[in-house]
Amino acid sequence: MSDLATPEAVGTRGPTAAGGVLRSALVWVLRLLVVTLGILTILFFLLRLSGDPAAVVAGAGATDAQVEQVRVSLGLDQPLLTQYAQFLADTARLDFGSSLLTDQPALGMVLDRMPATLLLAAITIVVSTLIGVPLGVLAAARHRRTTGRLLSLLAALLQAVPSFLLGILLLLVLGLHLGWLPTYGSGTPVHLVLPVATLAAITIARIVRLTRSGVLQALGQEFTGAALARGATRRRVLWNHALRNALVPLTAFVTIEVAHLISGAVIVESLFAYDGVGRQLVDSIFRRDYPVVQATVFVIAVLVVLISAAGDLLLHRLDPRMRREA
């Protein structure tokens, strides 16, 4: 009997597996702390170089004495390292203070806007996957025909177009010229169409190219030839064998793209006046509202790391080789 089947081996394997899970969890917690601390530290010092928020809070007609009084009340008269140490202590308590302009809790303002951004990112990634994967399989199945070449060319063109330029074109044509869709705002499904279309265009192009590459690579492997030799149809080989083999890199990409959509939808949200954290972040930067900016970056950094961790767990489920290495 193999040693793997003995009770001793089973008993040894259990703690080892548990230790591996615990070790992975500790690594991700450490990564979350390091990434968040690094981003917040860089942001803290960069924001202090952008100008004096006390002058913004005091107003355009404030005297020097009034500005200095505001600076003292905000703690901005303290040495920079003292402000940084206090900032880290407050961050550990999830206390980012209140907005310098509205006097509302900064973290609460960010969390109020976050569902709108998450909804935008979720719809974008779902639409992109539902459209991009079938088109990618079609481009691979007909890669020597005109259809496949046109799909590859279109995907390359869409990937080369900047999102802000595409958004402006969609806004001008569909919103202003034809009047089919609202050009700004949020709150209804119709308001999501233009922002989702702008973000999804590039994501669809990337998914098409990645799926096409993965399926073509799988079609050149021995297992797909063996499946055809056993009598499987070409359609079945494409969807059940080749596409499944391409799911691992596709899953990794989708995970990265979700994090990118959450952290990088700033331009699109500002372009369409969509009430998400991206637009709020841009407004807070221009107004030098430090607490809101820092709270926004903190929440986005935590979400990106957590999404990356979830993507790694999903990859371990999909790829047996990663499970064996773990």
Side-chain angles (χ1 to χ4, degrees):
M1 181 181 295
S2 172
D3 291 340
L4 292 177
T6 61
E8 292 81 3
V10 174
T12 304
R13 187 173 53 192
T16 302
V21 173
L22 179 60
R23 188 162 52 250
S24 299
L26 290 176
V27 168
W28 275 110
V29 170
L30 180 62
R31 183 179 299 182
L32 173 63
L33 293 175
V34 171
V35 170
T36 306
L37 178 63
I39 292 175
L40 289 176
T41 299
I42 295 173
L43 178 69
F44 175 86
F45 289 102
L46 284 179
L47 285 177
R48 264 65 185 174
L49 296 175
S50 65
D52 186 7
V56 177
V57 176
T63 63
D64 292 341
Q66 291 172 328
V67 173
E68 183 62 27
Q69 183 179 2
V70 172
R71 185 177 292 111
V72 171
S73 65
L74 295 176
L76 298 175
D77 61 322
Q78 300 293 325
L80 194 59
L81 291 180
T82 302
Q83 296 182 42
Y84 176 65
Q86 184 62 47
F87 166 68
L88 292 182
D90 292 339
T91 301
R93 300 192 302 269
L94 298 181
D95 180 12
F96 293 91
S98 299
S99 168
L100 301 181
L101 302 176
T102 66
D103 203 32
Q104 297 178 1
L107 186 59
M109 292 176 61
V110 176
L111 295 179
D112 287 342
R113 294 285 191 95
M114 184 55 70
T117 297
L118 292 177
L119 178 64
L120 179 62
I123 294 178
T124 299
I125 204 67
V126 169
V127 170
S128 301
T129 304
L130 292 178
I131 296 176
V133 171
L135 289 180
V137 174
L138 180 62
R142 303 185 178 182
H143 65 283
R144 290 192 179 93
R145 302 180 185 178
T146 304
T147 303
R149 292 171 181 169
L150 286 177
L151 285 174
S152 299
L153 177 61
L154 181 60
L157 291 176
L158 281 177
Q159 195 170 349
V161 177
S163 59
F164 73 89
L165 178 58
L166 179 61
I168 292 174
L169 291 176
L170 291 177
L171 188 150
L172 291 175
V173 176
L174 299 181
L176 296 179
H177 181 66
L178 298 177
W180 290 351
L181 297 167
T183 57
Y184 65 91
S186 59
T188 66
V190 180
H191 286 95
L192 286 166
V193 175
L194 286 180
V196 168
T198 303
L199 292 172
I202 297 177
T203 306
I204 290 172
R206 292 171 178 168
I207 291 178
V208 167
R209 300 187 69 182
L210 183 62
T211 304
R212 177 185 180 276
S213 176
V215 170
L216 283 177
Q217 184 179 8
L219 290 175
Q221 301 296 321
E222 294 182 359
F223 67 90
T224 55
L228 289 171
R230 289 195 300 267
T233 63
R234 182 171 177 81
R235 181 187 298 272
R236 182 178 179 84
V237 169
L238 273 173
W239 291 98
N240 288 11
H241 298 278
L243 180 58
R244 182 179 300 177
N245 190 69
L247 281 180
V248 174
L250 185 60
T251 302
F253 168 78
V254 168
T255 303
I256 296 173
E257 192 66 14
V258 171
H260 169 74
L261 289 172
I262 293 175
S263 60
V266 174
I267 296 177
V268 173
E269 288 189 1
S270 299
L271 179 62
F272 295 103
Y274 183 82
D275 290 330
V277 293
R279 182 190 177 195
Q280 182 175 254
L281 177 61
V282 172
D283 293 341
S284 300
I285 290 174
F286 281 116
R287 297 175 181 177
R288 295 172 187 165
D289 197 349
Y290 293 167
V292 177
V293 175
Q294 291 165 344
T296 303
V297 173
F298 172 80
V299 172
I300 290 177
V302 171
L303 278 176
V304 168
V305 175
L306 292 178
I307 290 171
S308 299
D312 276 3
L313 291 175
L314 185 57
L315 287 176
H316 276 78
R317 299 276 297 180
L318 292 174
D319 193 347
R321 293 170 298 180
M322 297 184 68
R323 292 198 297 268
R324 288 197 295 268
E325 291 174 1

